[in-house]
Amino acid sequence: MTRYIKGVLVPRDEIRTMCQRLGEQISADYAEREVTLIGVLKGAYVFMADLARYLNIPCCIDFMSVSSYGSGTRSSGVVRITKDLDTDITGKHIIIVEDIVDSGLTLNHLRQLLATRKPASIAVCTAFDKPERRRINVKVEYVGMQIPDEFIVGYGLDYDGKYRNLPDVSILGDDCQGGSK
Ligand code: IMP
Ligand code: MG
């Protein structure tokens, strides 16, 4: 299964420390306010579970699933919702939880879309950030870790639907570079 993995970029212990730091920071920033975490499926499912358990404030969770129109590995920024939220976020403090921000186009669209539903506030928390790849300036309030421009898998992130279950964040080998959303 790990034949196509070049090496580990972020080991599980570092990921745990990162989640704890983010959880403590968010808990302090929101104090006793209730937040709604919105996980962007499928990539964010592992991070969402870890982050939520480091929060010590009242918290609801919901998920949405989006697919980005575009060819190959390039995101077009036009996002189609394939699974919408189950809850009404009007008047809620929402935190969009992402696995990784790459070009930023998906997140930019999502931020604008969710803003139209009139939440009390919107913030974004991403596990990983590839700043070198950014094509649009989108606000990201909480960043777990900045990483170099490498295609990573594991900890929720996939290549062609696979490797999401790897506990460490790993770099995909050159023979299968590219990626799926
Ligand atoms: P973008 O910011 O609109 O370009 O797209 C971000 C999405 O692309 C993420 O939520 C991931 O689903 C996917 N993605 C970007 N970089 C990677 C990567 O290195 N590995 C796996 N998925 C990635
Ligand atoms: Mg994603």
Side-chain angles (χ1 to χ4, degrees):
M1 174 198 175
T2 50
R3 197 153 59 105
Y4 297 114
I5 301 302
K6 210 155 57 172
V8 170
L9 182 69
V10 192
R12 63 199 80 178
D13 293 358
E14 265 179 54
I15 299 175
R16 194 185 314 117
T17 310
M18 167 191 108
C19 290
Q20 184 171 4
R21 174 179 56 76
L22 288 170
E24 285 170 359
Q25 197 183 337
I26 291 170
S27 301
D29 289 353
Y30 286 81
E32 291 304 310
R33 278 176 291 170
E34 182 184 295
V35 296
T36 301
L37 300 181
I38 297 177
V40 185
L41 293 172
K42 303 184 176 82
Y45 82 106
V46 180
F47 177 49
M48 176 95 159
D50 282 348
L51 179 70
R53 284 176 291 173
Y54 282 112
L55 295 182
N56 57 22
I57 49 175
C59 156
C60 296
I61 65 156
D62 204 342
F63 290 96
M64 66 193 294
S65 187
V66 297
S67 80
S68 144
Y69 288 114
S71 56
T73 59
R74 284 240 146 185
S75 148
S76 65
V78 180
V79 170
R80 184 168 56 100
I81 297 180
T82 51
K83 184 225 168 292
D84 207 340
L85 299 173
D86 294 328
T87 49
D88 179 8
I89 56 166
T90 310
K92 306 275 186 195
H93 295 285
I94 65 165
I95 301 177
I96 301 170
V97 179
E98 264 283 20
D99 50 356
I100 188 162
V101 182
D102 187 43
S103 70
L105 292 169
T106 309
L107 181 60
N108 186 55
H109 190 89
L110 211 52
R111 263 196 101 116
Q112 285 178 9
L113 178 84
L114 294 178
T116 65
R117 301 184 186 180
K118 307 275 180 262
S121 65
I122 303 186
V124 172
C125 179
T126 187
F128 306 103
D129 180 19
K130 281 196 239 180
E132 287 169 50
R133 298 258 305 175
R134 200 73 90 252
R135 286 167 62 201
I136 193 160
N137 188 15
V138 59
K139 202 168 174 196
V140 183
E141 284 78 359
Y142 302 97
V143 175
M145 221 172 271
Q146 290 195 340
I147 59 160
D149 181 11
E150 299 267 13
F151 195 84
I152 57 169
V153 293
Y155 197 67
L157 292 127
D158 74 306
Y159 170 69
D160 201 18
K162 293 184 282 283
Y163 310 116
R164 294 192 195 277
N165 57 314
L166 297 180
D168 306 300
V169 166
S170 304
I171 300 178
L172 200 63
D174 298 324
D175 50 344
C176 61
Q177 281 293 344
S180 69
K181 297 270 159 175

